[in-house]
Amino acid sequence: MTAPFASAQARINSAVMRVLANTTVSIAGAPAVNADFDDGFAHAGIGSIGIDARRTTLTVATSSVPQNLDAWLADPGNERNSPYLDIVVDGGAYRIVAHQKDGGGLSHLVLESA
Amino acid sequence: MGATAFKTISAGIAAALSAAPSLASGRVFENRQLAVSSGSTDCIVVRIERSTADQSTISYFDWTTVFSIEIYARSAAGTDPQVAVDALLDAAWLRLSAIDAESIGAFDVTLNPDVQWLFDELDSPMACAVLRLGVRHRTTTAALHPA
């Protein structure tokens, strides 16, 4: 039996992703799921002036993240795992480089331009 | 009235890095304060840090001016950012070590054997390598122009 709080959390996350998602993606060949794609400005503070860049993340329900994703990310043979880590979002090619769970049922996938 | 010795030497160092074929596709700046723009893959900044002098004769100051040379580069996703900055660092070192002191209005240019690497990662891995250059030059005590 699902705990009441977990059940409520799952319903809220499902509603959040249904209402706020701005795209759909397929992760590692799985069926497409709702996702919130954020590609906003960010600044890397290295050196005295730093480098302007973008922080590219994809927020999805943790339940829609393949169970093997963390293992693929931890494997030093990233090139070997590229079929699983490469992802297309709104026509752009990216690679998943980190998986950050918020602990509340949502996952932030950190992307880099492929 | 011309430029001070400090500005003249700074421009000379930047010119050495910009000489054809220019490093970083010509993105060599003096004392830049704005970040490397989103559309740039690499960039070099020549930054004057500090000048101190000793009075070697009654009429002249012998200055030591320190410049930092900041070399910025992005690399491809999933790659070691040191690789991205490595070729540019190597090329910059060659250019700086070949500077003829007299041609930039100095009497000695010393490329310090000291490299600092800094890294970050956003939509791609990024690196900055920093070199330091010590330049000895002379002005009169009355003016800051090369003597």
Side-chain angles (χ1 to χ4, degrees):
Chain A
M1 174 181 160
T2 307
F5 182 78
S7 176
Q9 191 175 56
R11 285 200 308 276
I12 290 168
N13 285 337
S14 174
V16 164
M17 293 315 303
R18 192 172 59 249
V19 174
L20 298 182
N22 56 13
T23 190
T24 57
V25 294
S26 170
I27 305 169
V33 295
N34 287 332
D36 180 48
F37 179 59
D38 184 1
D39 191 25
F41 169 83
H43 177 78
I46 56 171
S48 63
I49 56 174
I51 301 179
D52 284 346
R54 309 188 82 81
R55 182 182 300 281
T56 310
T57 60
L58 195 64
T59 302
V60 297
T62 300
S63 58
S64 61
V65 174
Q67 289 187 339
N68 287 336
L69 182 66
D70 291 338
W72 293 329
L73 287 167
D75 184 341
N78 273 342
E79 289 305 318
R80 186 168 58 245
N81 292 325
S82 66
Y84 310 114
L85 300 177
D86 288 350
I87 188 168
V88 175
V89 185
D90 293 344
Y94 300 90
R95 177 169 295 182
I96 301 168
V97 295
H99 174 207
Q100 300 167 345
K101 297 178 188 173
D102 75 350
L106 294 178
S107 283
H108 305 289
L109 304 178
V110 181
L111 309 182
E112 289 183 355
S113 301
Chain B
M1 179 177 277
T4 66
F6 315 110
K7 179 59 188 161
T8 301
I9 291 167
S10 175
I13 295 168
L17 296 166
S18 300
S22 177
L23 302 186
S25 302
R27 289 183 291 272
V28 177
F29 303 97
E30 290 175 72
N31 306 310
R32 182 182 170 100
Q33 295 299 307
L34 294 172
V36 180
S37 61
S38 297
S40 301
T41 53
D42 51 16
C43 166
I44 299 177
V45 178
V46 176
R47 191 176 306 285
I48 190 165
E49 288 192 356
R50 183 184 178 89
S51 275
T52 53
D54 54 73
Q55 191 163 359
S56 58
T57 71
I58 290 175
S59 306
Y60 297 100
F61 281 134
D62 283 341
W63 296 88
T64 299
T65 301
V66 177
F67 293 86
S68 63
I69 313 297
E70 302 160 7
I71 302 160
Y72 298 87
R74 300 174 201 267
S75 65
T79 63
D80 176 359
Q82 188 185 354
V83 172
V85 81
D86 204 52
L88 197 51
L89 169 65
D90 189 29
W93 183 278
L94 285 172
R95 294 284 181 97
L96 294 170
S97 60
I99 288 177
D100 172 42
E102 206 171 308
S103 72
I104 62 169
F107 55 82
D108 184 52
V109 176
T110 303
L111 185 51
N112 295 356
D114 175 9
V115 185
Q116 181 184 17
W117 283 271
L118 304 154
F119 302 104
D120 204 341
E121 190 158 351
L122 288 168
D123 58 345
S124 66
M126 292 165 265
C128 174
V130 183
L131 303 172
R132 287 205 159 65
L133 199 64
V135 180
R136 296 275 293 161
H137 58 101
R138 174 171 285 186
T139 68
T140 65
T141 54
L144 293 176
H145 304 290

